[in-house]
Amino acid sequence: MKHPSVKDYMTTDVVTLRSDAGFKEIVRTLAERGVSGAPVVNEMGHVIGMVSEADLLHKEEFATVADEPRRYFESRRARAARAKAAADTASELMSSPAVTVPPDTSMPQAARIMGTRQVKRLPVVDADGLVVGIISRADVMGVFLAPDHQIRERVITEVIERSLWEDPARVNVGVTDGVVTLSGTLEQKSLIPIAVKLTRALDGVVDVVAHDLTYAVDDTPRDGRTY
């Protein structure tokens, strides 16, 4: 079952920063464009890092402690933050290397990358490494904003009819706030967990309840084995 890709949700009007952009220019650019972070590109237009508001705030954070002696056992994160506090250009402020994805990356995969790499946004690059868009956590969460009637239609057409080859008249599909309720009768018992799995995989589905979904024929092996 095909998931939408980042190209379907990404912002294409991407704010980028030159590597030599100064501190005030970065602050001004982010403020004027209403974004909290932007990719840093080199002279070839390739993404080399990311600058976010968090990187900029270190200058204010360490402004009042600049003359204080450093702790001997200062953490790696604290050392990096202190270094960024003294930075004046995008190349010094940025976090690198940047985590990027191609346009055909699925939305679930993008969500996993954001989670595992602990980033809030992903520049989308083409085969030449040039920026064609950017995807944010807000864009990923937007997948769950699909209206209930749209989710219901996809369950019926993509799961019940196309994948299971079942008569949709025998299965009742209800959707409330993204929670799908399946009831009725499938032809075989083995299709019930498949129906639940395929439904849960649809974009926008929050959960699946199938307690009242029954079957006409028990086709499961008597010894409990699955094949």
Side-chain angles (χ1 to χ4, degrees):
M1 194 167 296
K2 186 178 179 180
H3 290 281
S5 56
V6 297
K7 65 184 177 184
D8 300 316
Y9 287 85
M10 69 183 185
T11 298
T12 55
D13 182 18
V14 185
V15 180
T16 60
L17 300 166
R18 305 186 319 275
S19 60
D20 62 349
F23 188 91
K24 286 191 175 182
E25 180 184 348
I26 297 170
V27 174
R28 183 169 56 250
T29 300
L30 297 185
E32 290 177 348
R33 297 298 297 272
V35 295
S36 59
V40 180
V41 297
N42 61 17
E43 62 277 3
M44 300 296 292
H46 297 151
V47 181
I48 58 175
M50 287 288 299
V51 169
S52 69
E53 289 177 338
D55 298 316
L56 301 172
L57 288 174
H58 290 309
K59 189 173 288 292
E60 183 68 22
E61 175 187 353
F62 284 90
T64 58
V65 297
D67 297 328
E68 293 182 7
R70 298 186 184 183
R71 296 179 180 178
Y72 185 75
F73 293 107
E74 189 175 46
S75 69
R76 180 178 178 183
R77 177 175 296 181
R79 289 197 301 271
R82 189 182 290 272
K84 289 189 178 184
D88 295 319
T89 64
S91 61
E92 297 169 333
L93 283 162
M94 69 184 184
S95 298
S96 64
V99 183
T100 63
V101 293
D104 58 354
T105 303
S106 71
M107 291 297 281
Q109 185 178 2
R112 285 193 295 271
I113 293 173
M114 288 182 183
T116 57
R117 300 298 295 272
Q118 296 184 329
V119 295
K120 295 182 178 180
R121 57 193 67 81
L122 295 170
V124 183
V125 299
D126 62 16
D128 296 321
L130 302 178
V131 182
V132 295
I134 193 165
I135 196 85
S136 68
R137 286 182 180 178
D139 297 322
V140 174
M141 293 303 295
V143 172
F144 288 99
L145 297 179
D148 290 343
H149 70 85
Q150 187 179 90
I151 295 174
R152 180 178 183 276
E153 183 61 30
R154 291 192 64 191
V155 173
I156 293 172
T157 58
E158 297 183 28
V159 176
I160 305 303
E161 294 182 325
R162 295 176 188 172
S163 297
L164 302 182
W165 288 21
E166 287 280 341
D167 182 356
R170 300 179 61 187
V171 181
N172 301 313
V173 180
V175 185
T176 303
D177 292 334
V179 178
V180 179
T181 301
L182 300 176
S183 60
T185 306
L186 293 177
E187 183 61 30
Q188 299 172 323
K189 183 178 181 179
S190 62
L191 294 179
I192 293 178
I194 297 175
V196 172
K197 181 178 180 179
L198 292 178
T199 300
R200 184 171 281 119
L202 290 176
D203 295 295
V205 173
V206 175
D207 199 2
V208 181
V209 179
H211 304 314
D212 296 325
L213 188 58
T214 61
Y215 54 90
V217 177
D218 185 351
D219 63 331
T220 56
R222 293 185 179 277
D223 57 7
R225 290 180 297 175
T226 56
Y227 298 92

PDB file of all heavy atoms in Angstrom, residues 115-151:
ATOM      1  N   GLY A 115      12.598  11.420  14.078  1.00  0.00           N
ATOM      2  CA  GLY A 115      12.630  10.913  15.437  1.00  0.00           C
ATOM      3  C   GLY A 115      13.995  10.378  15.827  1.00  0.00           C
ATOM      4  O   GLY A 115      14.517  10.708  16.895  1.00  0.00           O
ATOM      5  N   THR A 116      14.591   9.553  14.972  1.00  0.00           N
ATOM      6  CA  THR A 116      15.872   8.937  15.305  1.00  0.00           C
ATOM      7  C   THR A 116      17.022   9.938  15.260  1.00  0.00           C
ATOM      8  O   THR A 116      17.968   9.836  16.045  1.00  0.00           O
ATOM      9  CB  THR A 116      16.179   7.769  14.355  1.00  0.00           C
ATOM     10  OG1 THR A 116      16.164   8.234  12.996  1.00  0.00           O
ATOM     11  CG2 THR A 116      15.151   6.656  14.517  1.00  0.00           C
ATOM     12  N   ARG A 117      16.955  10.899  14.355  1.00  0.00           N
ATOM     13  CA  ARG A 117      18.034  11.889  14.251  1.00  0.00           C
ATOM     14  C   ARG A 117      17.760  13.143  15.069  1.00  0.00           C
ATOM     15  O   ARG A 117      18.582  14.042  15.123  1.00  0.00           O
ATOM     16  CB  ARG A 117      18.246  12.271  12.774  1.00  0.00           C
ATOM     17  CG  ARG A 117      18.623  11.103  11.877  1.00  0.00           C
ATOM     18  CD  ARG A 117      19.946  10.470  12.310  1.00  0.00           C
ATOM     19  NE  ARG A 117      21.047  11.372  12.146  1.00  0.00           N
ATOM     20  CZ  ARG A 117      21.753  11.496  11.022  1.00  0.00           C
ATOM     21  NH1 ARG A 117      21.443  10.761   9.961  1.00  0.00           N
ATOM     22  NH2 ARG A 117      22.767  12.340  10.943  1.00  0.00           N
ATOM     23  N   GLN A 118      16.581  13.196  15.701  1.00  0.00           N
ATOM     24  CA  GLN A 118      16.199  14.305  16.585  1.00  0.00           C
ATOM     25  C   GLN A 118      16.318  15.665  15.874  1.00  0.00           C
ATOM     26  O   GLN A 118      16.953  16.594  16.371  1.00  0.00           O
ATOM     27  CB  GLN A 118      17.050  14.294  17.852  1.00  0.00           C
ATOM     28  CG  GLN A 118      16.835  13.048  18.700  1.00  0.00           C
ATOM     29  CD  GLN A 118      17.598  13.082  20.006  1.00  0.00           C
ATOM     30  OE1 GLN A 118      18.673  13.665  20.097  1.00  0.00           O
ATOM     31  NE2 GLN A 118      17.049  12.462  21.028  1.00  0.00           N
ATOM     32  N   VAL A 119      15.692  15.748  14.704  1.00  0.00           N
ATOM     33  CA  VAL A 119      15.647  17.000  13.955  1.00  0.00           C
ATOM     34  C   VAL A 119      14.190  17.396  13.728  1.00  0.00           C
ATOM     35  O   VAL A 119      13.304  16.544  13.712  1.00  0.00           O
ATOM     36  CB  VAL A 119      16.387  16.889  12.605  1.00  0.00           C
ATOM     37  CG1 VAL A 119      17.875  16.661  12.823  1.00  0.00           C
ATOM     38  CG2 VAL A 119      15.800  15.767  11.745  1.00  0.00           C
ATOM     39  N   LYS A 120      13.952  18.691  13.566  1.00  0.00           N
ATOM     40  CA  LYS A 120      12.595  19.196  13.402  1.00  0.00           C
ATOM     41  C   LYS A 120      12.220  19.428  11.949  1.00  0.00           C
ATOM     42  O   LYS A 120      11.053  19.641  11.640  1.00  0.00           O
ATOM     43  CB  LYS A 120      12.431  20.503  14.179  1.00  0.00           C
ATOM     44  CG  LYS A 120      12.564  20.346  15.684  1.00  0.00           C
ATOM     45  CD  LYS A 120      12.353  21.669  16.389  1.00  0.00           C
ATOM     46  CE  LYS A 120      12.449  21.501  17.895  1.00  0.00           C
ATOM     47  NZ  LYS A 120      12.234  22.794  18.610  1.00  0.00           N
ATOM     48  N   ARG A 121      13.216  19.400  11.062  1.00  0.00           N
ATOM     49  CA  ARG A 121      12.937  19.645   9.654  1.00  0.00           C
ATOM     50  C   ARG A 121      13.971  18.927   8.796  1.00  0.00           C
ATOM     51  O   ARG A 121      15.104  18.704   9.243  1.00  0.00           O
ATOM     52  CB  ARG A 121      12.929  21.146   9.343  1.00  0.00           C
ATOM     53  CG  ARG A 121      14.216  21.847   9.698  1.00  0.00           C
ATOM     54  CD  ARG A 121      14.108  23.347   9.685  1.00  0.00           C
ATOM     55  NE  ARG A 121      13.239  23.837  10.738  1.00  0.00           N
ATOM     56  CZ  ARG A 121      13.645  23.983  12.011  1.00  0.00           C
ATOM     57  NH1 ARG A 121      14.869  23.644  12.368  1.00  0.00           N
ATOM     58  NH2 ARG A 121      12.823  24.453  12.913  1.00  0.00           N
ATOM     59  N   LEU A 122      13.565  18.575   7.576  1.00  0.00           N
ATOM     60  CA  LEU A 122      14.453  17.861   6.660  1.00  0.00           C
ATOM     61  C   LEU A 122      14.476  18.566   5.308  1.00  0.00           C
ATOM     62  O   LEU A 122      13.435  18.675   4.649  1.00  0.00           O
ATOM     63  CB  LEU A 122      13.965  16.423   6.443  1.00  0.00           C
ATOM     64  CG  LEU A 122      13.980  15.476   7.640  1.00  0.00           C
ATOM     65  CD1 LEU A 122      13.233  14.195   7.292  1.00  0.00           C
ATOM     66  CD2 LEU A 122      15.409  15.158   8.034  1.00  0.00           C
ATOM     67  N   PRO A 123      15.629  19.068   4.861  1.00  0.00           N
ATOM     68  CA  PRO A 123      15.715  19.591   3.505  1.00  0.00           C
ATOM     69  C   PRO A 123      15.502  18.447   2.513  1.00  0.00           C
ATOM     70  O   PRO A 123      15.998  17.330   2.726  1.00  0.00           O
ATOM     71  CB  PRO A 123      17.151  20.131   3.421  1.00  0.00           C
ATOM     72  CG  PRO A 123      17.565  20.353   4.834  1.00  0.00           C
ATOM     73  CD  PRO A 123      16.872  19.270   5.620  1.00  0.00           C
ATOM     74  N   VAL A 124      14.775  18.717   1.460  1.00  0.00           N
ATOM     75  CA  VAL A 124      14.523  17.717   0.416  1.00  0.00           C
ATOM     76  C   VAL A 124      15.408  18.077  -0.778  1.00  0.00           C
ATOM     77  O   VAL A 124      15.347  19.201  -1.284  1.00  0.00           O
ATOM     78  CB  VAL A 124      13.043  17.704   0.004  1.00  0.00           C
ATOM     79  CG1 VAL A 124      12.786  16.603  -1.020  1.00  0.00           C
ATOM     80  CG2 VAL A 124      12.143  17.514   1.230  1.00  0.00           C
ATOM     81  N   VAL A 125      16.240  17.143  -1.201  1.00  0.00           N
ATOM     82  CA  VAL A 125      17.196  17.422  -2.275  1.00  0.00           C
ATOM     83  C   VAL A 125      16.969  16.488  -3.462  1.00  0.00           C
ATOM     84  O   VAL A 125      16.526  15.350  -3.289  1.00  0.00           O
ATOM     85  CB  VAL A 125      18.646  17.296  -1.781  1.00  0.00           C
ATOM     86  CG1 VAL A 125      18.921  18.310  -0.665  1.00  0.00           C
ATOM     87  CG2 VAL A 125      18.939  15.890  -1.265  1.00  0.00           C
ATOM     88  N   ASP A 126      17.279  16.994  -4.658  1.00  0.00           N
ATOM     89  CA  ASP A 126      17.132  16.179  -5.856  1.00  0.00           C
ATOM     90  C   ASP A 126      18.382  15.339  -6.083  1.00  0.00           C
ATOM     91  O   ASP A 126      19.298  15.303  -5.247  1.00  0.00           O
ATOM     92  CB  ASP A 126      16.811  17.062  -7.072  1.00  0.00           C
ATOM     93  CG  ASP A 126      17.926  18.064  -7.388  1.00  0.00           C
ATOM     94  OD1 ASP A 126      19.059  17.891  -6.891  1.00  0.00           O
ATOM     95  OD2 ASP A 126      17.653  19.019  -8.138  1.00  0.00           O
ATOM     96  N   ALA A 127      18.440  14.677  -7.241  1.00  0.00           N
ATOM     97  CA  ALA A 127      19.553  13.780  -7.541  1.00  0.00           C
ATOM     98  C   ALA A 127      20.886  14.511  -7.621  1.00  0.00           C
ATOM     99  O   ALA A 127      21.951  13.907  -7.445  1.00  0.00           O
ATOM    100  CB  ALA A 127      19.278  13.051  -8.859  1.00  0.00           C
ATOM    101  N   ASP A 128      20.849  15.812  -7.884  1.00  0.00           N
ATOM    102  CA  ASP A 128      22.072  16.612  -7.969  1.00  0.00           C
ATOM    103  C   ASP A 128      22.449  17.238  -6.629  1.00  0.00           C
ATOM    104  O   ASP A 128      23.424  17.990  -6.538  1.00  0.00           O
ATOM    105  CB  ASP A 128      21.910  17.723  -9.015  1.00  0.00           C
ATOM    106  CG  ASP A 128      21.716  17.171 -10.416  1.00  0.00           C
ATOM    107  OD1 ASP A 128      22.391  16.167 -10.735  1.00  0.00           O
ATOM    108  OD2 ASP A 128      20.895  17.716 -11.163  1.00  0.00           O
ATOM    109  N   GLY A 129      21.663  16.950  -5.588  1.00  0.00           N
ATOM    110  CA  GLY A 129      21.957  17.487  -4.265  1.00  0.00           C
ATOM    111  C   GLY A 129      21.455  18.895  -4.045  1.00  0.00           C
ATOM    112  O   GLY A 129      21.812  19.533  -3.051  1.00  0.00           O
ATOM    113  N   LEU A 130      20.614  19.393  -4.942  1.00  0.00           N
ATOM    114  CA  LEU A 130      20.079  20.746  -4.817  1.00  0.00           C
ATOM    115  C   LEU A 130      18.754  20.737  -4.049  1.00  0.00           C
ATOM    116  O   LEU A 130      17.950  19.806  -4.185  1.00  0.00           O
ATOM    117  CB  LEU A 130      19.881  21.364  -6.201  1.00  0.00           C
ATOM    118  CG  LEU A 130      21.134  21.455  -7.083  1.00  0.00           C
ATOM    119  CD1 LEU A 130      20.789  22.041  -8.448  1.00  0.00           C
ATOM    120  CD2 LEU A 130      22.218  22.288  -6.396  1.00  0.00           C
ATOM    121  N   VAL A 131      18.520  21.787  -3.290  1.00  0.00           N
ATOM    122  CA  VAL A 131      17.307  21.862  -2.476  1.00  0.00           C
ATOM    123  C   VAL A 131      16.076  22.095  -3.356  1.00  0.00           C
ATOM    124  O   VAL A 131      16.050  23.037  -4.152  1.00  0.00           O
ATOM    125  CB  VAL A 131      17.406  22.999  -1.446  1.00  0.00           C
ATOM    126  CG1 VAL A 131      16.152  23.032  -0.570  1.00  0.00           C
ATOM    127  CG2 VAL A 131      18.631  22.823  -0.562  1.00  0.00           C
ATOM    128  N   VAL A 132      15.077  21.237  -3.200  1.00  0.00           N
ATOM    129  CA  VAL A 132      13.822  21.399  -3.941  1.00  0.00           C
ATOM    130  C   VAL A 132      12.643  21.606  -2.989  1.00  0.00           C
ATOM    131  O   VAL A 132      11.530  21.893  -3.415  1.00  0.00           O
ATOM    132  CB  VAL A 132      13.546  20.187  -4.856  1.00  0.00           C
ATOM    133  CG1 VAL A 132      14.593  20.095  -5.950  1.00  0.00           C
ATOM    134  CG2 VAL A 132      13.505  18.891  -4.041  1.00  0.00           C
ATOM    135  N   GLY A 133      12.895  21.458  -1.684  1.00  0.00           N
ATOM    136  CA  GLY A 133      11.820  21.641  -0.716  1.00  0.00           C
ATOM    137  C   GLY A 133      12.319  21.395   0.689  1.00  0.00           C
ATOM    138  O   GLY A 133      13.499  21.100   0.904  1.00  0.00           O
ATOM    139  N   ILE A 134      11.422  21.532   1.636  1.00  0.00           N
ATOM    140  CA  ILE A 134      11.740  21.233   3.028  1.00  0.00           C
ATOM    141  C   ILE A 134      10.481  20.694   3.707  1.00  0.00           C
ATOM    142  O   ILE A 134       9.370  21.141   3.419  1.00  0.00           O
ATOM    143  CB  ILE A 134      12.284  22.482   3.757  1.00  0.00           C
ATOM    144  CG1 ILE A 134      12.903  22.114   5.105  1.00  0.00           C
ATOM    145  CG2 ILE A 134      11.183  23.536   3.944  1.00  0.00           C
ATOM    146  CD1 ILE A 134      13.765  23.212   5.691  1.00  0.00           C
ATOM    147  N   ILE A 135      10.668  19.689   4.551  1.00  0.00           N
ATOM    148  CA  ILE A 135       9.553  19.073   5.251  1.00  0.00           C
ATOM    149  C   ILE A 135       9.768  19.256   6.754  1.00  0.00           C
ATOM    150  O   ILE A 135      10.887  19.101   7.245  1.00  0.00           O
ATOM    151  CB  ILE A 135       9.432  17.562   4.898  1.00  0.00           C
ATOM    152  CG1 ILE A 135       8.078  16.992   5.296  1.00  0.00           C
ATOM    153  CG2 ILE A 135      10.563  16.751   5.453  1.00  0.00           C
ATOM    154  CD1 ILE A 135       7.012  17.207   4.268  1.00  0.00           C
ATOM    155  N   SER A 136       8.724  19.624   7.464  1.00  0.00           N
ATOM    156  CA  SER A 136       8.839  19.878   8.901  1.00  0.00           C
ATOM    157  C   SER A 136       7.999  18.894   9.695  1.00  0.00           C
ATOM    158  O   SER A 136       7.192  18.134   9.137  1.00  0.00           O
ATOM    159  CB  SER A 136       8.383  21.305   9.221  1.00  0.00           C
ATOM    160  OG  SER A 136       6.986  21.431   9.015  1.00  0.00           O
ATOM    161  N   ARG A 137       8.166  18.917  11.009  1.00  0.00           N
ATOM    162  CA  ARG A 137       7.338  18.068  11.860  1.00  0.00           C
ATOM    163  C   ARG A 137       5.865  18.411  11.693  1.00  0.00           C
ATOM    164  O   ARG A 137       5.008  17.530  11.717  1.00  0.00           O
ATOM    165  CB  ARG A 137       7.750  18.248  13.322  1.00  0.00           C
ATOM    166  CG  ARG A 137       9.068  17.588  13.696  1.00  0.00           C
ATOM    167  CD  ARG A 137       9.370  17.787  15.170  1.00  0.00           C
ATOM    168  NE  ARG A 137      10.628  17.160  15.554  1.00  0.00           N
ATOM    169  CZ  ARG A 137      11.153  17.220  16.774  1.00  0.00           C
ATOM    170  NH1 ARG A 137      10.505  17.883  17.725  1.00  0.00           N
ATOM    171  NH2 ARG A 137      12.291  16.638  17.050  1.00  0.00           N
ATOM    172  N   ALA A 138       5.587  19.696  11.520  1.00  0.00           N
ATOM    173  CA  ALA A 138       4.201  20.110  11.336  1.00  0.00           C
ATOM    174  C   ALA A 138       3.613  19.502  10.075  1.00  0.00           C
ATOM    175  O   ALA A 138       2.442  19.116  10.036  1.00  0.00           O
ATOM    176  CB  ALA A 138       4.109  21.638  11.281  1.00  0.00           C
ATOM    177  N   ASP A 139       4.435  19.399   9.012  1.00  0.00           N
ATOM    178  CA  ASP A 139       3.963  18.799   7.758  1.00  0.00           C
ATOM    179  C   ASP A 139       3.660  17.321   7.962  1.00  0.00           C
ATOM    180  O   ASP A 139       2.676  16.795   7.439  1.00  0.00           O
ATOM    181  CB  ASP A 139       5.019  18.959   6.659  1.00  0.00           C
ATOM    182  CG  ASP A 139       5.288  20.409   6.317  1.00  0.00           C
ATOM    183  OD1 ASP A 139       4.324  21.198   6.296  1.00  0.00           O
ATOM    184  OD2 ASP A 139       6.453  20.763   6.082  1.00  0.00           O
ATOM    185  N   VAL A 140       4.531  16.640   8.710  1.00  0.00           N
ATOM    186  CA  VAL A 140       4.326  15.211   8.980  1.00  0.00           C
ATOM    187  C   VAL A 140       3.054  15.009   9.790  1.00  0.00           C
ATOM    188  O   VAL A 140       2.247  14.116   9.508  1.00  0.00           O
ATOM    189  CB  VAL A 140       5.536  14.620   9.730  1.00  0.00           C
ATOM    190  CG1 VAL A 140       5.256  13.182  10.150  1.00  0.00           C
ATOM    191  CG2 VAL A 140       6.782  14.674   8.847  1.00  0.00           C
ATOM    192  N   MET A 141       2.858  15.855  10.798  1.00  0.00           N
ATOM    193  CA  MET A 141       1.651  15.732  11.612  1.00  0.00           C
ATOM    194  C   MET A 141       0.395  16.037  10.803  1.00  0.00           C
ATOM    195  O   MET A 141      -0.695  15.561  11.112  1.00  0.00           O
ATOM    196  CB  MET A 141       1.733  16.687  12.810  1.00  0.00           C
ATOM    197  CG  MET A 141       2.811  16.323  13.814  1.00  0.00           C
ATOM    198  SD  MET A 141       2.618  14.648  14.473  1.00  0.00           S
ATOM    199  CE  MET A 141       1.061  14.822  15.341  1.00  0.00           C
ATOM    200  N   GLY A 142       0.554  16.814   9.745  1.00  0.00           N
ATOM    201  CA  GLY A 142      -0.586  17.159   8.909  1.00  0.00           C
ATOM    202  C   GLY A 142      -1.232  15.956   8.250  1.00  0.00           C
ATOM    203  O   GLY A 142      -2.410  16.004   7.865  1.00  0.00           O
ATOM    204  N   VAL A 143      -0.472  14.867   8.131  1.00  0.00           N
ATOM    205  CA  VAL A 143      -1.025  13.637   7.555  1.00  0.00           C
ATOM    206  C   VAL A 143      -2.225  13.163   8.363  1.00  0.00           C
ATOM    207  O   VAL A 143      -3.196  12.624   7.829  1.00  0.00           O
ATOM    208  CB  VAL A 143       0.062  12.543   7.509  1.00  0.00           C
ATOM    209  CG1 VAL A 143      -0.543  11.201   7.108  1.00  0.00           C
ATOM    210  CG2 VAL A 143       1.160  12.933   6.538  1.00  0.00           C
ATOM    211  N   PHE A 144      -2.172  13.375   9.697  1.00  0.00           N
ATOM    212  CA  PHE A 144      -3.245  12.900  10.566  1.00  0.00           C
ATOM    213  C   PHE A 144      -4.470  13.815  10.534  1.00  0.00           C
ATOM    214  O   PHE A 144      -5.452  13.556  11.221  1.00  0.00           O
ATOM    215  CB  PHE A 144      -2.735  12.772  11.998  1.00  0.00           C
ATOM    216  CG  PHE A 144      -1.790  11.620  12.179  1.00  0.00           C
ATOM    217  CD1 PHE A 144      -0.422  11.825  12.179  1.00  0.00           C
ATOM    218  CD2 PHE A 144      -2.270  10.330  12.319  1.00  0.00           C
ATOM    219  CE1 PHE A 144       0.451  10.762  12.331  1.00  0.00           C
ATOM    220  CE2 PHE A 144      -1.402   9.266  12.465  1.00  0.00           C
ATOM    221  CZ  PHE A 144      -0.035   9.482  12.464  1.00  0.00           C
ATOM    222  N   LEU A 145      -4.402  14.876   9.736  1.00  0.00           N
ATOM    223  CA  LEU A 145      -5.540  15.781   9.635  1.00  0.00           C
ATOM    224  C   LEU A 145      -6.496  15.394   8.513  1.00  0.00           C
ATOM    225  O   LEU A 145      -7.454  16.103   8.235  1.00  0.00           O
ATOM    226  CB  LEU A 145      -5.048  17.224   9.422  1.00  0.00           C
ATOM    227  CG  LEU A 145      -4.221  17.817  10.562  1.00  0.00           C
ATOM    228  CD1 LEU A 145      -3.786  19.233  10.213  1.00  0.00           C
ATOM    229  CD2 LEU A 145      -5.004  17.803  11.865  1.00  0.00           C
ATOM    230  N   ALA A 146      -6.245  14.242   7.874  1.00  0.00           N
ATOM    231  CA  ALA A 146      -7.151  13.777   6.823  1.00  0.00           C
ATOM    232  C   ALA A 146      -8.551  13.626   7.399  1.00  0.00           C
ATOM    233  O   ALA A 146      -8.727  13.062   8.486  1.00  0.00           O
ATOM    234  CB  ALA A 146      -6.670  12.440   6.260  1.00  0.00           C
ATOM    235  N   PRO A 147      -9.585  14.130   6.733  1.00  0.00           N
ATOM    236  CA  PRO A 147     -10.955  14.043   7.264  1.00  0.00           C
ATOM    237  C   PRO A 147     -11.431  12.597   7.362  1.00  0.00           C
ATOM    238  O   PRO A 147     -11.006  11.731   6.587  1.00  0.00           O
ATOM    239  CB  PRO A 147     -11.772  14.841   6.247  1.00  0.00           C
ATOM    240  CG  PRO A 147     -10.958  14.840   4.989  1.00  0.00           C
ATOM    241  CD  PRO A 147      -9.530  14.837   5.436  1.00  0.00           C
ATOM    242  N   ASP A 148     -12.315  12.342   8.309  1.00  0.00           N
ATOM    243  CA  ASP A 148     -12.798  10.988   8.553  1.00  0.00           C
ATOM    244  C   ASP A 148     -13.441  10.356   7.325  1.00  0.00           C
ATOM    245  O   ASP A 148     -13.247   9.168   7.058  1.00  0.00           O
ATOM    246  CB  ASP A 148     -13.811  10.991   9.710  1.00  0.00           C
ATOM    247  CG  ASP A 148     -13.152  11.262  11.061  1.00  0.00           C
ATOM    248  OD1 ASP A 148     -11.913  11.130  11.150  1.00  0.00           O
ATOM    249  OD2 ASP A 148     -13.879  11.603  12.009  1.00  0.00           O
ATOM    250  N   HIS A 149     -14.193  11.148   6.575  1.00  0.00           N
ATOM    251  CA  HIS A 149     -14.875  10.573   5.401  1.00  0.00           C
ATOM    252  C   HIS A 149     -13.872  10.117   4.351  1.00  0.00           C
ATOM    253  O   HIS A 149     -14.097   9.128   3.641  1.00  0.00           O
ATOM    254  CB  HIS A 149     -15.854  11.595   4.802  1.00  0.00           C
ATOM    255  CG  HIS A 149     -15.203  12.774   4.133  1.00  0.00           C
ATOM    256  ND1 HIS A 149     -14.772  12.748   2.826  1.00  0.00           N
ATOM    257  CD2 HIS A 149     -14.912  14.013   4.614  1.00  0.00           C
ATOM    258  CE1 HIS A 149     -14.244  13.921   2.526  1.00  0.00           C
ATOM    259  NE2 HIS A 149     -14.309  14.703   3.573  1.00  0.00           N
ATOM    260  N   GLN A 150     -12.735  10.818   4.263  1.00  0.00           N
ATOM    261  CA  GLN A 150     -11.699  10.436   3.307  1.00  0.00           C
ATOM    262  C   GLN A 150     -11.006   9.146   3.753  1.00  0.00           C
ATOM    263  O   GLN A 150     -10.718   8.267   2.925  1.00  0.00           O
ATOM    264  CB  GLN A 150     -10.683  11.571   3.184  1.00  0.00           C
ATOM    265  CG  GLN A 150      -9.642  11.378   2.092  1.00  0.00           C
ATOM    266  CD  GLN A 150      -8.694  12.552   2.022  1.00  0.00           C
ATOM    267  OE1 GLN A 150      -7.658  12.575   2.672  1.00  0.00           O
ATOM    268  NE2 GLN A 150      -9.072  13.565   1.257  1.00  0.00           N
ATOM    269  N   ILE A 151     -10.750   9.031   5.044  1.00  0.00           N
ATOM    270  CA  ILE A 151     -10.143   7.810   5.574  1.00  0.00           C
ATOM    271  C   ILE A 151     -11.077   6.622   5.347  1.00  0.00           C
ATOM    272  O   ILE A 151     -10.641   5.538   4.929  1.00  0.00           O
ATOM    273  CB  ILE A 151      -9.836   7.973   7.074  1.00  0.00           C
ATOM    274  CG1 ILE A 151      -8.773   9.057   7.295  1.00  0.00           C
ATOM    275  CG2 ILE A 151      -9.368   6.642   7.672  1.00  0.00           C
ATOM    276  CD1 ILE A 151      -8.523   9.377   8.747  1.00  0.00           C
TER     277      ILE A 151
END
